[in-house]
Amino acid sequence: MPRFADDGRVAGTEVRELLVPGPWTTPAAPFTSRVAFAAAHVVPHVGAENVPGAPAVVDWDTTLAYRHRLWEHGLGVADAMDTAQRGMGLDWAATRELVRRSAAEARAVGGRVACGAGTDQLDPAVVAGWERGDPAALAAVADAYREQVHVVQDAGAQVVVMASRALARVARSPEEYARVYDAVLAEADAPVILHWLGTMFDPALAGYWGTGDDVAAATDVFVDLVRAHQGRVDGVKVSLLDASHEKGLRARLAALDAAAGGAVRLYTGDDFHYPELVVGDGRAHSDALLGIFAAIYPAASTALGALDAGHPDRAHAILASTEALGRHVFAAPTHYYKTGIAFLSWLNGTQPAFQMVGGLQSGRSVAHLVALVRLADRAGLLLDPDLAARRTHAFLEAHGAAA
């Protein structure tokens, strides 16, 4: 294994014997103490033109087989979301097919699936020309949302209402955000998950909820939206990487009037602080909808089993053993975290090549991915050490970094 100097040159090597994988378990029955979704990635056909700007060509068999692994480990699948490269290589035609296929596979095995509904079928060039506050543009955003909500519902999946770049581009105020979400939620035939995605995941979402950089004010707008539609909201997924903010929001959601529509879950999207948030403090906890769970699913499943068995300390220890890996995978620029998830999938033999739609395998450096190998090994998440060693060597050799 190479060691790199600050300027990227190979500055030495390390002989590393990979560890035996962790003592991971799979559940015999559904988990009861937490609801947990893993946000899954997509795998391209290795010979297709999956280059930047080209339509995605998805290897459906391999992509869906990965989802079956998640279901077998007791996790729900959150599909067609940012981990699946929405807005970063996965076009709407491929997304629509992914929703249809993933929902059908979930039905076949009794797995849980939730799929993202957004507005990314809108032409970015047209969106860029909109004037802020244009009523016709706001109506177009609402119509795009409604189209995708119906695609997800018709497939039989739960709807995740994703944050919209187009809405961030055109809306000027909290009232305009509320108007669009009111129209979208009116279409929901079952409780949805609302997704608040921070700018570290997508810089184009700056100022979401119409309050500029004021997160506290944005939180007030968000809670007001949930309160107004409480009966139509199963939960919220918050991806701001701020544990203190999440705990405060979680308490506000817990305080909503139960008579107005029942409890509203907080599905953590915090891929930095998930051990403390999911395990909780004995009084409150978050459920989970996490991209990192797609990478650490054997450990996540084992930890959830420990929670069900009444062993929160063991659950926390298991998740904490993966935290350094999670922080590395989601390090800035965070929106390239998908590259690390696909790389680990390849190391573990669940896809035939280290490739991604849109050519996104180039989103992380060789040094970053070498560090990922070390951290995944330390966490016991290289599931076939011999295969991982061979593939790591092949990767290093192809990139001119082999000893």
Side-chain angles (χ1 to χ4, degrees), residues 249-327:
L249 176 57
R250 191 169 69 192
R252 292 180 68 175
L253 295 174
L256 292 175
D257 183 2
V264 176
R265 296 179 183 274
L266 198 153
Y267 293 97
T268 187
D270 190 332
D271 301 278
F272 283 3
H273 306 102
Y274 55 92
E276 65 171 293
L277 293 167
V278 172
V279 175
D281 58 9
R283 298 183 301 277
H285 65 265
S286 298
D287 293 290
L289 198 165
L290 289 163
I292 193 60
F293 271 19
I296 67 162
Y297 63 88
S301 177
T302 305
L304 292 168
L307 282 172
D308 274 13
H311 303 300
D313 291 344
R314 171 164 166 70
H316 187 277
I318 293 167
L319 292 176
S321 73
T322 71
E323 191 170 7
L325 173 62
R327 287 176 175 269

Side-chain angles (χ1 to χ4, degrees), residues 171-198:
R172 297 170 302 181
S173 67
E175 291 75 21
E176 289 176 344
Y177 277 89
R179 196 178 314 147
V180 170
Y181 274 84
D182 288 349
V184 174
L185 290 172
E187 301 292 314
D189 62 8
V192 307
I193 299 171
L194 297 177
H195 189 187
W196 181 0
L197 192 66

